């Protein structure tokens, strides 16, 4: 029997020793992996899990951040739905904002993606231009649009007066303020779905279109029968992420309207922020944050379950 | 593998417990060593920190602080927070490691005092035998709480008057407003008539009253509601009372009915009223003393002056904005902070503030350096005798967040003041309870 065969013969009977080249040898060697991930676990525990648990606890208290918290049970939650008309109003505004912003952003993103999915000179520049607002600072965007909407010296009313139309006081009108903010949000946000759809479009095999063309399918039929079904995974992703971001809109509102006029543009996160830092009701704000989490979780779950019905994964 | 899984759970749980323990430790370990009485809090006596809503370098306030540093040898480190100051203010108080001195919105004083977050200055006032007889009593007693604690210090104030463009008056052939605190030819009706004569549609507006929030208290009190915005108990929203709502409506009608005041929607840019005034597009505006430096700088080739607010059916008072500072209970160096406060309300400190026309000083001996322009600048000093201050509540800011946005509908000429103010009354009063 040669040496190799001898070794093979022994393999079944002899126990292999654990390697001794780790930090922890012997009995503790199997825990060595934990040692490596300990800093990460510590970080997550200290900066994510702990605040989450504190936030849950705080949502059951009345706390101004200065005096010690006072336990009030589910008082904050019942107050929200039965004794705080402003909460209901901001929730309603947020839903309206979401219902307006998501379809508009998605459709505009899709159209821009179709537009940019061509082999033209300078197309990269065009793509970058459409995507630029998405990565531009919201404060800068807010101020630019604040000027655009200025009723006296703004660009929009200037153009409208040029054709004899007396434009509204956009951001000061309780009728126009929310639509005005939605327009800004759509203009800023369309670059993101555009990139997602563009990636989806470029993943669609060209031979499908060639075959359709040979069969005499029109451009619109190609879009309807090939592009749209094969883009449903991208669309699904866009809708899920858009819903979450729309429901958490804050920056544009904060910069442009501060929730006004009246409370016509006061949205959920802005009201949450005000509740915490202007009214000093941190317990109530924590409860609002958890209600928002539940709303987003439910809607995302429903979206996830519904995808089976309409998302086509090829 | 059960044993191994159990070990993993134990390990992760242990780590989480350690993290929680360490964070909880951090939360309880913070805090300063404020004494809560006159006598020091264990900080470094030669340095102090100071949270302010504006950068002070190059301002009269900065000059006053530098003068204090020179005189005392204490180094003052200012932490300016030019935006969202109230948020930062709450955060530093909640942190347990606050600065030694904080600017405090006067509407917060009562509410924050209740939390025990502000140091009682009464022992300091007593110990140093501060001569408060030189201070306007209303303003000095403003931060005094029901239990006798003096939880803030008014360092200065900024009364409101009617600024007007003399040239426009002369051009329109309209008699100038009174140069003393007089109601002669200066009632609300006279004011409206004057504004009408000064207005040129599409080119110039005669008056602007409702942009400065100080009009709420001033005009309601002058219309016969002694409470102003809130009743003395701090729990009743008096702005919805008939007399008060009538005053709000009167000011709004200058726009909606008489067209002598700019539309609310056109006034939403910062300092737009000052710009319009400087450009000759606005003849009169209700504004604070602290507006003078801007007007002096921006208004070229125009003669301008100030007049008292028009007299309402029941009086001719005006609201002063009070500039208040507090020492947090947990401040490390409350003594140095107190010395700075004392300096700012001394004759020397007050004169520095007044020379720069930043605010009116508390010490009346410092008023000697008050000088024009405007020609009748003395009216500001006299405003102390014609002063009204809103009653304090536990949650003025919370109340404002409800009724002021609601008033947009009034100012936009969409709804009457009575309807809007009555609609929010219950909610405001619920908020006032804290």
């Amino acid at each position: 029997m040669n040496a190799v065969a001898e070794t093979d013969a022994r393999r079944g009977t002899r126990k292999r020793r654990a390697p001794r080249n780790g930090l922890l040898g012997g009995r503790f060697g199997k825990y060595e992996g934990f040692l490596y991930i300990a800093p990460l676990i510590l970080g997550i525990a200290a900066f994510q899990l702990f605040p989450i648990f504190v936030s849950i606890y705080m949502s059951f208290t009345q706390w101004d951040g200065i005096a010690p918290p006072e336990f009030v049970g589910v008082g904050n939650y019942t107050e929200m739905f039965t004794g705080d008309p402003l909460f209901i109003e901001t929730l309603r505004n947020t839903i309206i904002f979401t219902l307006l912003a998501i379809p508009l952003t998605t459709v505009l993103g899709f159209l821009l993606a179709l537009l940019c999915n061509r082999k033209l000179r300078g197309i990269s520049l065009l793509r970058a231009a459409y995507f630029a607002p998405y990565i531009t600072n919201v404060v800068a965007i807010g101020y630019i649009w604040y000027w655009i909407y200025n009723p006296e010296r703004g660009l929009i009313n200037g153009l409208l007066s040029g054709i004899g139309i007396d434009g509204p006081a956009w951001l000061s009108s309780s009728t126009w303020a929310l639509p005005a903010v939605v327009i800004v949000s759509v203009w800023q946000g369309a670059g993101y779905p555009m990139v997602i759809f563009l990636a989806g479009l470029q993943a669609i095999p060209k031979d499908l279109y060639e075959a359709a063309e040979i069969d005499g399918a029109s451009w619109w039929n190609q879009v309807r029968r090939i592009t749209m079904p094969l883009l449903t995974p991208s669309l699904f992703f866009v809708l899920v992420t858009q819903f979450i971001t729309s429901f958490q809109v804050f920056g544009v509102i904060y910069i442009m309207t501060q929730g006004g006029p009246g409370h016509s543009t006061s949205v959920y996160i802005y009201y949450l922020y005000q509740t915490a830092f202007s009214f000093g009701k941190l317990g109530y704000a924590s409860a609002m944050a958890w209600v928002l989490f539940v709303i987003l979780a439910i809607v995302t779950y429903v979206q996830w379950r519904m995808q089976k019905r309409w998302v086509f994964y090829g | 593998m059960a044993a191994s899984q159990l070990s993993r759970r134990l390990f992760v749980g242990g780590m989480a417990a350690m993290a929680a323990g360490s964070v909880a430790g951090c939360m309880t370990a913070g805090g300063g060593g404020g004494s809560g009485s006159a006598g020091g809090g264990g900080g470094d006596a030669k340095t102090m920190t100071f949270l302010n809503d504006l950068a002070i370098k190059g301002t009269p306030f900065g000059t006053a602080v530098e003068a204090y540093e020179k005189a005392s040898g204490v180094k003052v480190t200012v932490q300016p927070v030019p935006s969202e100051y109230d948020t930062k203010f709450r955060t530093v108080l909640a942190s347990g490691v606050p600065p030694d001195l904080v600017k405090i919105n006067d509407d917060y004083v009562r509410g924050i005092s209740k939390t025990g977050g502000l140091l009682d200055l009464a022992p300091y006032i007593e110990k140093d035998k501060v001569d408060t007889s030189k201070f306007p009593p209303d303003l000095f007693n403003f931060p005094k709480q029901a239990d006798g604690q003096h939880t803030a210090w008014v360092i200065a104030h900024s009364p409101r008057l009617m600024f007007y463009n003399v040239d426009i008056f002369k051009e329109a052939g309209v008699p100038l407003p009174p140069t003393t605190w007089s109601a002669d030819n200066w009632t609300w009706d006279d004011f409206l008539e004057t504004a009408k004569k000064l207005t040129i549609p599409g080119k110039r507006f005669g008056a602007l009253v409702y942009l400065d929030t100080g009009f709420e208290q001033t005009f309601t009190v002058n219309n016969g509601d002694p409470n102003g915005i809130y009743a003395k108990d701090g729990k009743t929203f008096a702005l919805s009372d008939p007399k008060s709502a009538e005053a709000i409506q009167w000011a709004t009608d200058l726009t909606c009915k008489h067209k002598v005041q700019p539309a609310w929607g056109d006034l939403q840019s910062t300092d737009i009223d000052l710009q319009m005034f400087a450009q000759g597009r606005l003849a009169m505006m209700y504004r604070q003393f602290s507006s003078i430096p801007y007007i002096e700088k921006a208004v070229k080739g125009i003669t301008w002056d100030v007049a008292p607010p028009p007299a309402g059916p029941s009086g001719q008072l005006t609201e002063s904005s009070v500039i208040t500072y507090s020492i947090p209970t947990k401040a490390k160096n409350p003594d140095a902070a107190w010395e700075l406060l004392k300096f700012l309300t001394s004759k020397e400190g007050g004169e520095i503030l007044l020379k720069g026309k930043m605010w009116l000083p508390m010490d009346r001996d410092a008023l000697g350096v008050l000088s024009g322009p405007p020609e009748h600048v003395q009216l500001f000093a006299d405003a102390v005798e014609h002063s009204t201050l809103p009653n304090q509540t536990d949650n003025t800011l919370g109340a404002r967040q409800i009724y002021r946005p609601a008033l947009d509908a009034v100012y936009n000429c969409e709804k009457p003041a009575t309807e809007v103010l009555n609609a929010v009354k219950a909610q405001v009063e619920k908020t006032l309870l804290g």
Side-chain angles (χ1 to χ4, degrees):
Chain A
M1 198 183 276
N2 62 24
V4 176
E6 202 175 319
T7 310
D8 286 347
R10 282 196 208 132
R11 240 174 220 162
T13 55
R14 197 187 264 187
K15 277 190 178 176
R16 298 182 80 188
R17 273 188 187 168
R20 284 187 166 275
N21 54 356
L23 284 171
L24 305 170
R27 302 165 50 195
F28 299 104
K30 61 184 174 182
Y31 297 119
E32 194 166 327
F34 290 127
L35 192 67
Y36 297 131
I37 60 166
L40 184 67
I41 291 174
L42 266 172
I44 290 170
F47 299 110
Q48 288 184 11
L49 295 176
F50 177 74
I52 285 170
F53 289 123
V54 168
S55 166
I56 292 173
Y57 170 70
M58 285 305 168
S59 75
F60 295 104
T61 67
Q62 198 171 16
W63 186 44
D64 61 11
I66 300 164
E70 183 190 329
F71 190 78
V72 291
V74 293
N76 288 330
Y77 293 92
T78 50
E79 165 79 4
M80 227 177 283
F81 293 99
T82 59
D84 185 356
L86 200 49
F87 171 79
I88 303 298
E89 193 176 346
T90 54
L91 188 58
R92 188 181 58 95
N93 287 342
T94 310
I95 291 166
I96 292 169
F97 179 92
T98 303
L99 292 177
L100 287 171
I102 291 180
L104 290 171
T105 310
T106 308
V107 169
L108 184 62
F110 177 67
L111 294 175
L112 289 175
L114 285 178
L115 198 71
C116 293
N117 190 32
R118 292 158 187 265
K119 284 192 168 68
L120 298 171
R121 276 185 69 184
I123 196 72
S124 309
L125 276 174
L126 203 60
R127 287 172 188 168
Y130 288 133
F131 188 67
Y134 184 73
I135 51 169
T136 304
N137 184 296
V138 72
V139 177
I141 284 173
Y143 277 111
I144 289 166
W145 278 90
Y146 195 84
W147 167 76
I148 289 171
Y149 282 133
N150 185 296
E152 268 200 326
R153 301 176 304 280
L155 181 70
I156 295 179
N157 281 4
L159 292 171
L160 288 174
S161 69
I163 53 170
I165 297 171
D166 193 13
W170 294 94
L171 299 174
S172 312
S173 152
S174 46
T175 310
W176 285 101
L178 193 61
V181 169
V182 168
I183 290 168
V184 177
S185 193
V186 169
W187 175 84
Q188 190 200 3
Y192 177 72
M194 179 197 81
V195 168
I196 303 294
F197 286 135
L198 198 55
L201 285 170
Q202 291 179 349
I204 298 172
K206 297 284 175 288
D207 53 357
L208 292 177
Y209 291 108
E210 286 163 10
E213 250 174 70
I214 290 165
D215 289 343
S218 65
W219 173 84
W220 172 240
N221 269 330
Q222 287 178 36
V223 169
R224 213 159 57 95
R225 306 281 182 189
I226 301 167
T227 310
M228 283 184 171
L230 291 177
L231 267 188
T232 48
S234 306
L235 180 60
F236 170 68
F237 176 77
V238 164
L239 289 177
V240 170
T241 53
Q242 286 289 311
F243 180 84
I244 292 167
T245 52
S246 291
F247 232 80
Q248 296 189 61
V249 64
F250 174 79
V252 159
I253 301 287
Y254 177 76
I255 299 297
M256 292 180 69
T257 64
Q258 301 268 305
H263 295 290
S264 61
T265 59
S266 186
V267 288
Y268 200 102
I269 293 287
Y270 182 72
Y271 183 50
L272 191 154
Y273 166 82
Q274 273 192 308
T275 302
F277 299 110
S278 298
F279 307 168
K281 291 162 75 177
L282 289 152
Y284 190 72
S286 296
M288 281 182 70
W290 282 101
V291 167
L292 178 66
F293 170 77
V294 169
I295 291 170
L296 291 178
I298 290 169
V299 173
T300 306
Y301 175 76
V302 169
Q303 284 177 314
W304 203 261
R305 292 302 302 263
M306 297 282 282
Q307 69 168 318
K308 289 176 193 164
R309 299 188 184 184
W310 64 276
V311 180
F312 177 69
Y313 284 103
Chain B
M1 297 309 282
S4 161
Q5 278 172 1
L6 181 67
S7 303
R8 189 178 304 136
R9 268 207 298 271
L10 273 173
F11 182 86
V12 173
M15 286 292 181
M18 274 169 59
S22 64
V23 174
C26 291
M27 284 177 76
T28 53
S35 61
S37 64
D44 169 12
K46 287 296 167 196
T47 60
M48 64 162 285
T49 49
F50 168 18
L51 189 77
N52 199 43
D53 58 348
L54 295 167
I56 64 169
K57 201 169 173 59
T59 69
F61 193 21
T63 309
V65 170
E66 281 166 20
Y68 164 74
E69 285 179 309
K70 215 172 186 175
S72 66
V74 174
K75 175 87 186 83
V76 182
T77 305
V78 183
Q79 302 164 3
V81 183
S83 67
E84 286 297 313
Y85 178 80
D86 290 338
T87 304
K88 177 73 176 178
F89 164 82
R90 277 189 170 277
T91 311
V92 297
L93 279 190
S95 73
V97 197
D100 299 312
L101 187 65
V102 289
K103 164 88 168 68
I104 182 167
N105 182 324
D106 51 338
D107 301 313
Y108 268 160
V109 174
R110 183 161 145 179
I112 302 288
S113 297
K114 283 203 159 186
T115 68
L118 305 178
L119 191 67
D120 177 19
L121 302 178
Y124 282 98
I125 298 165
E126 206 175 315
K127 182 173 76 85
D128 290 353
K129 296 185 173 54
V130 179
D131 182 7
T132 58
S133 66
K134 293 177 176 180
F135 301 161
D138 278 6
L139 300 179
F140 171 71
N141 289 316
F142 172 79
K144 211 168 187 172
Q145 302 306 302
D147 60 1
Q149 287 201 36
H150 208 108
T151 48
W153 191 250
V154 178
I155 65 159
H157 61 113
S158 185
R160 291 168 171 84
L161 292 182
M162 202 59 72
F163 288 70
Y164 66 94
N165 184 322
V166 176
D167 300 338
I168 292 176
F169 271 76
K170 287 181 176 168
E171 177 205 308
V174 178
L176 295 176
T179 54
T180 59
W181 280 82
S182 157
D184 289 347
N185 301 316
W186 200 234
T187 62
W188 283 11
D189 289 343
D190 299 325
F191 180 81
L192 174 59
E193 286 313 305
T194 303
K196 281 178 179 174
K197 288 171 186 165
L198 300 174
T199 300
I200 301 172
K203 190 179 166 202
R204 187 172 72 207
F205 288 99
L208 177 53
V209 167
Y210 66 173
L211 186 63
D212 187 310
T213 52
F215 103 92
E216 290 170 0
Q217 175 74 14
T218 301
F219 280 71
T220 52
V221 168
N222 290 344
N223 198 39
D225 188 334
N227 286 313
I229 306 168
Y230 312 103
K232 271 207 158 53
D233 63 5
K235 295 180 174 69
T236 310
F237 182 55
L239 200 64
S240 61
D241 294 351
K243 285 281 179 195
S244 295
E246 187 180 61
I248 299 290
Q249 192 63 57
W250 180 86
T252 309
D253 282 348
L254 294 173
T255 297
C256 304
K257 203 165 155 185
H258 308 294
K259 315 287 183 203
V260 297
Q261 181 173 245
W264 188 245
D266 297 342
L267 293 168
Q268 300 312 303
S269 317
T270 311
D271 289 339
I272 184 74
D273 53 339
L274 289 170
Q275 289 167 34
M276 289 174 77
F277 188 78
Q279 293 160 2
R281 293 193 295 135
L282 181 61
M284 296 187 282
M285 62 175 179
Y286 187 58
R287 263 276 186 173
Q288 283 187 46
F289 175 80
S290 56
S291 309
I292 293 177
Y294 176 95
I295 295 170
E296 276 186 307
K297 228 182 274 181
V299 175
K300 302 290 179 208
I302 291 175
T303 314
W304 58 278
D305 205 349
V306 290
S314 296
Q316 194 177 22
L317 303 179
T318 193
E319 187 194 333
S320 262
S321 275
V322 285
I323 318 302
T324 41
Y325 284 81
S326 282
I327 302 174
T329 311
K330 292 182 178 175
K332 280 199 170 70
N333 199 351
D335 291 359
W338 164 247
E339 290 301 323
L340 174 57
L341 288 179
K342 232 173 28 172
F343 177 81
L344 292 170
T345 46
S346 68
K347 182 171 182 281
E348 187 189 347
E351 283 179 348
I352 296 170
L353 297 178
L354 188 55
K355 274 177 189 165
K357 291 188 180 150
M358 191 156 187
W359 302 308
L360 288 186
M362 285 292 281
D363 189 327
R364 66 167 168 264
D365 292 348
L367 287 169
V369 297
L370 181 63
S371 63
E375 188 183 345
H376 296 99
V377 71
Q378 186 59 33
L379 286 168
F380 282 110
D382 300 341
V384 169
E385 309 301 322
H386 303 268
S387 180
T388 173
L389 284 170
N391 289 313
Q392 289 287 285
T393 79
D394 288 352
N395 194 4
T396 297
L397 211 83
R400 277 182 182 175
Q401 301 277 13
I402 294 164
Y403 83 79
R404 279 202 179 143
L407 278 173
D408 282 347
V410 180
Y411 301 153
N412 280 323
C413 314
E414 293 163 5
K415 290 176 181 173
T418 310
E419 182 190 323
V420 167
L421 291 165
N422 279 322
V424 296
K425 184 179 169 73
Q427 204 188 341
V428 170
E429 288 179 352
K430 190 176 161 191
T431 305
L432 288 176
L433 297 174

